Amino acid sequence: MRLPNPTLCGVLALVIWSTSIAFTRTLSEKLGPATLLGVCFSAGGLLGLSFEWLRHGRIRALFPRPAWPYLLVGGPCFVGYCLGYAFSLAIAPDRQVTMQLGVVNYTWPGLTVISLMLMLNYRARWGMLIPGLLCGCLGVALSMAGSISPGAFVASIGRNAAAFALMVGSAVCWAVYSGAARKFAPRGGANGVPLFSLAVGALFLAVKLASGERSEWSMSLVLPGAYYSVFVVASAYGLWDIAMQRGRAVLLATLSYLLPLFSTLFAGWYLREPVGWHLLAGASLLILGAVLCNSGVQRR
């Protein structure tokens, strides 16, 4: 079976991820974050491995020869991204800090552009790249938070240094993972996302057991949980890996700036929460930032 356009795979991954915040919120309220991520990443990983085995009769990232550079660089970065993101939000003291951490998390598109530039054969046009990165960060803040208070943001960093450090580390890990997927791409289009997902799931299940986290299971969680496992974990992460390996990586990294905008719109519709005027201002800055960043990186 022939794969679709790799760049289109990346766009589809971004569309799926834009729905993840709403489902994460509803599921984690009942199951707890460790249970949610442990169960869904384990299920998504097993599903991905089953599909790989049925289609190719083997796990191509491991057989006949392991893709060691890809596995040893991409694996820890993938796991580090998930752990840093989850634990950062877990120790956030209130919703305001959680929103600020979300803004920090969405520095990963800009960091991915820089990662691709450093790891691959690209050169920067700084006069366009730096304004693009700044517009993107400001657009993320407006889209997600509605308003910006630099003083309160800096004070919050001082009071919650560990949470912000974890989130910065998470964003850096994802940027490096995206670059490594391109630089060390295995032959034949193999990817290690199912293996990485299983590792994440096992770690979070261990956290659940160690912490004694309680969960409230019900039939109403089956469909959202299945969607999260099949689409958000197994499909979206796998599609992003394909896109980074063979698609227009810089274009996709800059398009990622639009993710918080679509996430906010979808969450507002799904959770029946109003969205404010700030989305228009945020959207304008995000689009401008994406255009500038895409024009600010060129292949040598």
Side-chain angles (χ1 to χ4, degrees):
M1 182 175 67
R2 182 171 178 170
L3 288 172
N5 182 286
T7 303
L8 186 60
C9 288
V11 173
L12 184 56
L14 293 174
V15 171
I16 296 172
W17 279 334
S18 70
T19 69
S20 65
I21 290 180
F23 286 100
T24 300
R25 188 182 304 178
T26 55
L27 288 168
S28 62
E29 287 174 353
K30 297 293 185 181
L31 301 179
T35 304
L36 167 64
L37 296 176
V39 171
C40 291
F41 270 88
S42 296
L46 289 173
L47 182 64
L49 285 179
S50 300
F51 180 79
E52 177 84 357
W53 189 268
L54 289 172
R55 187 179 175 198
H56 301 284
R58 57 191 171 92
I59 309 301
R60 291 175 297 163
L62 295 176
F63 302 104
R65 182 180 300 173
W68 288 121
Y70 168 78
L71 294 172
L72 293 177
V73 177
C77 286
F78 188 100
V79 175
Y81 157 74
C82 295
L83 291 177
Y85 181 84
F87 286 127
S88 173
L89 296 180
I91 63 177
D94 53 49
R95 188 172 182 178
Q96 181 180 11
V97 175
T98 299
M99 187 67 73
Q100 293 167 345
L101 289 169
V103 173
V104 173
N105 172 60
Y106 280 114
T107 59
W108 71 260
L111 292 172
T112 300
V113 172
I114 296 173
S115 172
L116 292 168
M117 185 183 67
L118 294 176
M119 299 178 72
L120 305 174
N121 191 30
Y122 295 113
R123 67 181 179 89
R125 298 170 62 187
W126 295 108
M128 302 189 75
L129 181 59
I130 292 178
L133 294 174
L134 292 175
C135 284
C137 291
L138 187 58
V140 168
L142 280 173
S143 296
M144 296 187 66
S147 61
I148 299 174
S149 175
F153 200 92
V154 172
S156 182
I157 293 174
R159 291 191 302 268
N160 305 281
F164 279 92
L166 283 170
M167 190 59 82
V168 170
S170 172
V172 170
C173 282
W174 188 250
V176 175
Y177 171 80
S178 298
R182 182 59 163 250
K183 185 175 181 64
F184 304 117
R187 294 182 179 179
N191 74 69
V193 170
L195 298 171
F196 305 154
S197 298
L198 275 178
V200 171
L203 287 172
F204 277 109
L205 288 176
V207 170
K208 171 186 169 54
L209 294 175
S211 64
E213 180 181 81
R214 295 184 178 182
S215 305
E216 299 177 13
W217 297 91
S218 66
M219 290 301 297
S220 63
L221 302 178
V222 173
L223 287 179
Y227 176 87
Y228 200 95
S229 301
V230 174
F231 291 98
V232 175
V233 177
S235 300
Y237 285 108
L239 289 169
W240 185 258
D241 196 278
I242 291 171
M244 287 296 101
Q245 287 187 28
R246 301 191 298 278
R248 296 179 62 184
V250 173
L251 174 63
L252 287 168
T254 56
L255 285 178
S256 301
Y257 269 127
L258 301 178
L259 186 57
L261 172 65
F262 295 132
S263 297
T264 303
L265 289 172
F266 182 84
W269 170 78
Y270 183 76
L271 301 172
R272 294 180 174 83
E273 295 181 356
V275 294
W277 63 268
H278 55 85
L279 281 177
L280 290 177
S284 300
L285 286 170
L286 287 168
I287 293 171
L288 177 60
V291 171
L292 291 173
C293 284
N294 189 56
S295 302
V297 180
Q298 293 182 328
R299 184 176 292 276
R300 293 184 185 277

